[in-house]
Amino acid sequence: MGVLDLAKGMGVTLGKLFSKPLTVSYPESRVQLKPRFRGRHVLTRHPDTGLEKCIGCSLCAAACPSYAIYVEAAENDPAHPVSPGERYAKVYEINMLRCIFCGLCEEACPTGAIILGNEFEMADYRYGDFVYGKEDMLVGQYGSRPQRREAERQGTPVRLGLSVQPREELEGVRYP
Amino acid sequence: MTAAHFWITLLKAVLVALALLTTFAYMTLVERRLLARMQIRRGPNRVGPLGLLQPLADAIKSVFKEDVLATNRDRVVFFLAPLISITTALTVFGAIPAGRPGGFFGANPWVFNLDIGVIFILAFTSLGVYGIFLAGWASGSKYSLLGGLRSSAQVISYELGQGLSILGLLILVGSANLRSIVHWQYHHGWLIAFQLIGFACFLISSFAETNRTPFDLPEAEQELVAGYLTEYSSLKWALFQMSEYVNMITASALISTLFLGGYRGPAFLDAVVPGISGWPYLWLLLKIALFLFLFIWVRATFPRLRYDQLMRFGWKVLFPVALLNALLTAAFVGLLPGLSPWILGLVSLLILIALLALGDRLLAGNRKLARGSAGD
């Protein structure tokens, strides 16, 4: 390694000193995520009928490597069906503390009902609050549980710290 | 010494210590910000505007942290080691002249003025290694001991190169008094022009003396946890950090004083703004800042040397080159008296360029030798 190489190295660092930092000042400015970022799950609906895609088959729970998913199925009422099949998920819970966001549930799902979304800000205070139910994950629900709680307390709309173009599997999901 | 003189000296000493410690606090911030920017990050910017209160937060944190004490420590020496480090570091700066006599509200802008100024500084900075070495020994831990040993070996090796590199300078000036050196430079031109090789050697060995990258082996965390600092925490750890940074500031001040004209600005600027070279403090602060930036810049750029590389460089490159410079200057002054020192500067420049150009080949030869001997 000659002296010229040393000088070249010094030049590189000096040049970088005057370049714009790549750091995103996260809480103030939004993180630009890639579309396939795997965050909080979304339970999607059929866009035309509005019925839930989930048929309560529990394949996601079987595929889950960390046993984070609990599904309890029930028969559909033929007059007012929740999902297009015979059964639907009466209870659908994911423990976000156990979940490793691997996406195997998404792969196992025969109807494409569960898709990993892009939200990731789920830090909370109590273990129980990390068990997300259907009401937290159905499409149209915006923000995680602590974010919605905080927004309600302050009377402001939920503000996500991310911006992304959601992939097409996430039907009906719009991020700012 | 009259009582007034005593009190003024004491006041000056306290002021110097305060100034050094404040500079240290903000150096940590400046260093972290600059390093971050060189790595395309932003660095600490949360505490106060632009992160300006970060040093305060750090100070509060390190004072209130738990002082973890190793069981195997030597109680007295473990406590004394950081004190030795910080005391020597703070003492040395008092010898640096910061302006013309009487320039500090009628008092002299230095704490003490010694005829052996440079030699005193070299001696006292090398006393500082006792702090590191004793810290390593008193911790009662093998990593600390290895770190301390490395540090003492390193400082002893580079001390020689450093001492020899200013020998030429002392021959030219004919005095070891820092004020005389500054004065000489004002009349004859900055010594960096005549003692280029000496400057290069002194700069490099200053990096080694202050334990800065690429010579920060005593605290090589990959190998030695944190070297001599492993068992230290809380305020004692902060004292070691403090002495490292204060040593850095002192080294910058010393290089500026010895090679860049000290507290006097460049004389040719007087033609533009009359008297600008005599403006007090400004020039010394500028030069210190320049070298501190260089310290940070080098830290952002270079990886750490391996231990054998460090020793080989110190003994086989730095030492002979510094010796060559001393011999060259001695021969020039002794055999060709009355000749302009600019000729010496030119010769030094040519030799330095030749050394840099040949450096590749010399190092390659060294590597070949090292490979050959490794097989034995």
Side-chain angles (χ1 to χ4, degrees), chain B residues 105-242:
Chain B
F105 305 114
N108 291 331
W110 52 82
V111 180
F112 46 85
N113 175 33
L114 298 170
D115 282 339
I116 53 158
V118 186
I119 298 162
F120 168 82
I121 287 181
L122 288 186
F124 238 69
T125 41
S126 47
L127 266 187
V129 78
Y130 274 107
I132 292 171
F133 178 64
L134 289 177
W137 178 78
S139 295
S141 133
K142 50 183 174 290
Y143 295 112
S144 304
L145 187 62
L146 284 171
L149 274 174
R150 275 186 173 195
S151 186
S152 46
Q154 172 182 332
V155 171
I156 288 168
S157 308
Y158 280 81
E159 191 87 330
L160 284 166
Q162 196 174 28
L164 276 175
S165 63
I166 58 160
L167 206 55
L169 178 151
L170 295 183
I171 292 171
L172 267 186
V173 177
S175 164
N177 187 319
L178 289 167
R179 278 177 56 213
S180 315
I181 292 172
V182 173
H183 198 65
W184 190 91
Q185 292 183 77
Y186 183 62
H187 289 293
H188 296 80
W190 288 0
L191 273 160
I192 185 176
F194 316 127
Q195 287 290 313
L196 205 55
I197 304 175
F199 172 73
C201 291
F202 194 82
L203 188 66
I204 292 170
S205 45
S206 289
F207 276 92
E209 288 282 302
T210 48
N211 290 331
R212 290 287 297 185
T213 351
F215 304 110
D216 57 343
L217 282 141
E219 34 194 312
E221 57 263 22
Q222 292 90 340
E223 308 151 34
L224 296 171
V225 192
Y228 62 95
L229 287 168
T230 308
E231 303 293 344
Y232 279 90
S233 51
S234 180
L235 203 57
K236 295 199 189 87
W237 182 85
L239 281 176
F240 274 120
Q241 271 329 83
M242 219 181 267

Side-chain angles (χ1 to χ4, degrees), chain A residues 7 16 29 38 41-42 45 53 59 65 70 73-74 79-80 88 102 127 135-136 146-147 152 164-166 170 174:
Chain A
K16 293 295 175 205
S29 55
R38 294 197 296 261
H41 313 66
V42 176
R45 292 173 184 274
K53 283 186 185 173
L59 278 179
Y70 173 73
H80 303 285
Y88 73 103
C102 62
Y127 287 126
E135 68 281 5
D136 296 308
Q147 281 177 318
E152 195 181 337
V164 67
Q165 190 61 48
L170 286 163
R174 291 283 169 273

Side-chain angles (χ1 to χ4, degrees), chain A residues 4-51:
Chain A
L4 268 182
D5 297 327
L6 297 182
K8 216 183 285 173
M10 300 282 278
V12 169
T13 40
L14 191 66
K16 293 295 175 205
L17 177 61
F18 299 105
S19 64
K20 198 174 173 300
L22 293 175
T23 315
V24 180
S25 303
Y26 159 60
E28 289 96 30
S29 55
R30 296 171 199 270
V31 187
Q32 189 72 44
L33 293 178
K34 294 283 181 270
R36 298 199 68 88
F37 179 86
R38 294 197 296 261
R40 195 260 292 164
H41 313 66
V42 176
L43 290 171
T44 52
R45 292 173 184 274
H46 286 288
D48 40 353
T49 58
L51 294 173

Side-chain angles (χ1 to χ4, degrees), chain B residues 258-335:
Chain B
L258 290 182
F259 292 100
L260 289 183
Y263 58 83
R264 318 249 5 190
F268 64 86
L269 278 182
D270 280 339
V272 189
V273 185
I276 193 172
S277 75
W279 287 6
Y281 313 116
L282 170 78
W283 292 108
L284 190 66
L285 290 181
L286 269 182
K287 288 163 191 171
I288 291 177
L290 175 80
F291 280 105
L292 288 179
F293 177 74
L294 186 70
F295 273 103
I296 297 170
W297 187 12
V298 165
R299 176 168 174 191
T301 310
F302 296 129
R304 184 181 294 127
L305 261 69
R306 219 170 46 218
Y307 192 61
D308 61 318
Q309 292 170 333
L310 172 95
M311 279 303 169
R312 194 182 302 147
F313 183 77
W315 286 101
K316 289 190 176 173
V317 181
L318 201 68
F319 185 72
V321 170
L323 194 61
L324 173 81
N325 178 54
L327 287 176
L328 182 74
T329 315
F332 181 82
V333 173
L335 301 178

